[in-house]
């Protein structure tokens, strides 16, 4: 009888979750990442430059979740995003086989720029924080262009915290 009781108490296995998850706040996009051996350095922790790759992947998936592919923006709108500036603070290390996440939060939206705050987390523990300034440029000339209207309107509509950036004199 003991085995029968154990069988009835067991919960069915959880269904696999979607690889795209969203933070409870509607303005934070979260992309899950597994740390592989190739991501680590000789000390067994994630090599510092790999955090930048994790942040890049999250930005790409964020745009994809909003309905915009990077190659489609280039091909159909003559626009790509480049990192104009980035400041990152490393707070705690991640290690091999950790389940971490990279987040994207829109801070400000300008005519040709996007200002983001991104974080790398392990559960509720913050591992790194980055402030990223993206510039929208023409892929042929790398000259600044306005963010395509359809993307700009989606960002302004779907991320309520976003505010248009004021013109500076």
């Amino acid at each position: 009888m003991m085995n029968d009781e154990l069988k009835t108490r067991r919960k069915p296995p959880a269904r696999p979750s979607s690889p795209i998850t969203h933070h409870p706040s509607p303005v934070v996009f979260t992309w899950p990442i597994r740390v592989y051996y190739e991501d680590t350095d000789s000390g067994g922790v994630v090599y510092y430059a790999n955090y930048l790759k994790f942040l890049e992947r999250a930005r790409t998936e964020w745009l994809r979740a909003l309905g915009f592919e990077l190659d489609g923006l280039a091909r159909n709108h003559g626009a790509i995003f480049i990192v104009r500036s980035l400041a990152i603070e490393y707070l705690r290390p991640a290690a091999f086989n950790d389940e971490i996440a990279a987040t994207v939060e829109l801070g400000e939206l300008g005519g040709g720029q996007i200002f983001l705050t991104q974080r790398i987390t392990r559960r509720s523990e913050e591992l790194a924080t980055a402030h990223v300034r993206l510039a929208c440029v023409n892929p042929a000339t790398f000259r600044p262009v306005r963010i395509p209207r359809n993307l700009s309107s989606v960002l302004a509509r779907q991320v309520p915290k976003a505010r248009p950036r004021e013109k500076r004199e």
Side-chain angles (χ1 to χ4, degrees), residues 22 25-28 62-68 106 109 150-162:
H22 295 276
S25 166
V27 298
V28 179
W62 171 63
L63 288 172
R64 181 174 285 134
L66 292 174
F68 297 91
L106 181 58
L109 176 63
N150 56 346
L151 173 57
S152 183
S153 66
V154 166
L155 290 174
R157 192 173 59 245
Q158 292 194 3
V159 186
K161 191 176 178 180

Side-chain angles (χ1 to χ4, degrees), residues 22-88:
H22 295 276
H23 190 275
S25 166
V27 298
V28 179
F29 173 84
T30 303
W31 183 252
I33 299 162
R34 170 75 69 171
V35 175
Y36 296 115
Y37 186 73
E38 67 187 27
D39 298 321
T40 62
D41 62 16
S42 61
V45 298
V46 172
Y47 182 64
Y48 78 96
N50 287 334
Y51 287 89
L52 302 179
K53 293 178 183 182
F54 300 156
L55 297 174
E56 178 72 34
R57 290 177 199 160
R59 289 193 303 272
T60 299
E61 296 300 337
W62 171 63
L63 288 172
R64 181 174 285 134
L66 292 174
F68 297 91
E69 295 288 342
L70 294 177
D71 55 347
L73 286 171
R75 184 177 51 256
N76 302 327
H77 301 284
I80 60 171
F81 289 101
I82 60 170
V83 175
R84 174 83 189 263
S85 64
L86 182 138
I88 188 167

Side-chain angles (χ1 to χ4, degrees), residues 8-9 16 30 45 60 65 78 91 103 107 110 121 132-133 137 140 145 149:
T8 58
R9 288 186 190 171
T30 303
V45 298
T60 299
L91 305 169
T103 66
T121 61
V132 184
R133 179 180 176 191
V137 299
V145 297
R149 186 173 301 168

Side-chain angles (χ1 to χ4, degrees), residues 10-18:
R10 287 188 187 151
K11 293 181 182 178
R15 293 174 55 196
S17 62
S18 165

